[in-house]
């Protein structure tokens, strides 16, 4: 089998320049916060992109020495990673979408880190499916830091988040390693910053109150707000359109 031309990063200068632009935005924001951009995982939010589009982006981020992951929104999309272009490349696969209990089995099968535990029945379904499959999975608790009704997640208070973290801690198969949010959908940077900062403060409070050393991930920041997220402590930024171009319809 020959390697398809699209797997050669040399051949898509637009992809190279988009990725380098994203990396320099991350690095500049990290420098302002006294952090190292190379410590921040770049998660490719792939939506409906094809393996032919995803594989060269993975190769490029690797060649730039970045921590990376590929994140899917839909359980069905995770199946595309059986494609030969992606199957053997060893990139961690995450799940970032709205979870449904009837898809928990598929998500557990593929998602090494599940970002979007946003309800108690989802935590239960994932636990049951991980037990049945004999798999251990890391998970993040999704928090609604913007107050926007369209967004899932627990309320941004310790009283809301601590019980689910404790519940997950009690599981033999799921390990809660941090929090995830989708920032406020507004051009008001101060509002975005406030929502992202509240996630960091919440993580610190949960970690300290429960004495958890390994509760440190903050999945926050997308194409439009990744600088603010990095300044506010993001450990994983989830980037789609800034790398792949405008979202497919
Ligand atoms: C699509 C998506 C992203 C990436 O969004 P862009 O604005 O295209 O970077 C990040 N997180 C989640 C949960 C998404 O659904």
């Amino acid at each position: 089998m020959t390697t398809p031309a699209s797997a050669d990063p040399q051949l898509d200068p637009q992809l190279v320049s988009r990725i380098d632009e994203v990396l320099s935005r991350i690095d500049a924001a990290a420098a302002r916060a006294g952090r190292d951009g190379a410590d921040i995982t770049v998660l490719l939010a792939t939506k409906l992109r094809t393996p032919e589009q995803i594989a060269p982006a993975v190769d490029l981020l690797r060649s730039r020495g970045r921590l990376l992951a590929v994140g899917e929104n839909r359980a069905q999309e995770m199946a595309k990673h059986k494609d030969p272009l992606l199957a053997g490349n060893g990139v961690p696969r995450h799940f970032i979408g709205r979870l449904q209990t009837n898809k928990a089995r598929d998500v557990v099968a593929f998602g090494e880190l599940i970002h979007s535990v946003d309800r108690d029945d989802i935590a239960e379904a994932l636990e049951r499916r991980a037990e049945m499959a004999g798999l251990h999975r890391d998970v993040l608790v999704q928090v609604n830091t913007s107050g926007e009704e369209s967004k899932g997640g627990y309320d941004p208070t310790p009283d809301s988040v601590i019980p689910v973290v404790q519940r997950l801690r009690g599981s033999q198969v799921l390990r809660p390693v941090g929090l995830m949010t989708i920032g406020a959908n507004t051009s008001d940077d101060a509002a975005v910053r406030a929502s992202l900062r509240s996630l960091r403060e919440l993580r610190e409070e949960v970690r300290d109150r429960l004495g958890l050393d390994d509760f440190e991930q903050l999945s926050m920041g997308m194409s439009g707000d990744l600088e603010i997220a990095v300044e506010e402590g993001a450990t994983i930024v989830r980037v789609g359109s800034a790398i792949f171009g405008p979202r497919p319809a």
Side-chain angles (χ1 to χ4, degrees), residues 64-80:
R64 300 289 190 262
R66 296 300 173 134
L67 299 170
L68 74 150
V70 169
E72 299 302 338
N73 282 80
R74 302 185 194 193
Q76 308 89 285
E77 290 292 303
M78 295 197 99
K80 76 188 171 199

Side-chain angles (χ1 to χ4, degrees), residues 43-47 49 71-73 95-98 115-116 142 180-182 219-226 237-248:
L43 177 146
L44 293 166
T46 62
K47 297 271 167 25
R49 319 284 171 173
E72 299 302 338
N73 282 80
F95 187 78
I96 62 173
R98 248 307 155 73
H115 291 227
S116 41
Q142 183 171 349
M180 177 272 213
T181 200
I182 299 174
S219 167
M220 60 189 195
M222 312 185 2
S223 293
D225 60 6
L226 63 86
V237 292
R238 307 180 307 266
V239 189
S241 49
I243 286 178
F244 294 112
R247 290 182 192 175

Side-chain angles (χ1 to χ4, degrees), residues 56-132:
V58 167
D59 291 346
L60 263 163
L61 284 168
R62 271 221 177 105
S63 74
R64 300 289 190 262
R66 296 300 173 134
L67 299 170
L68 74 150
V70 169
E72 299 302 338
N73 282 80
R74 302 185 194 193
Q76 308 89 285
E77 290 292 303
M78 295 197 99
K80 76 188 171 199
H81 294 283
K82 290 181 187 149
D83 186 285
L85 270 178
L86 293 172
N89 73 5
V91 66
R93 286 168 288 164
H94 295 185
F95 187 78
I96 62 173
R98 248 307 155 73
L99 280 159
Q100 296 167 265
T101 50
N102 65 354
K103 295 281 167 32
R105 186 179 59 150
D106 297 338
V107 168
V108 160
F110 285 93
E112 290 164 43
L113 177 63
I114 300 164
H115 291 227
S116 41
V117 175
D118 64 350
R119 307 189 304 280
D120 292 353
D121 65 332
I122 286 296
E124 266 164 50
L126 293 174
E127 183 176 357
R128 197 167 57 242
R129 288 302 183 173
E131 270 165 9
M132 287 169 72

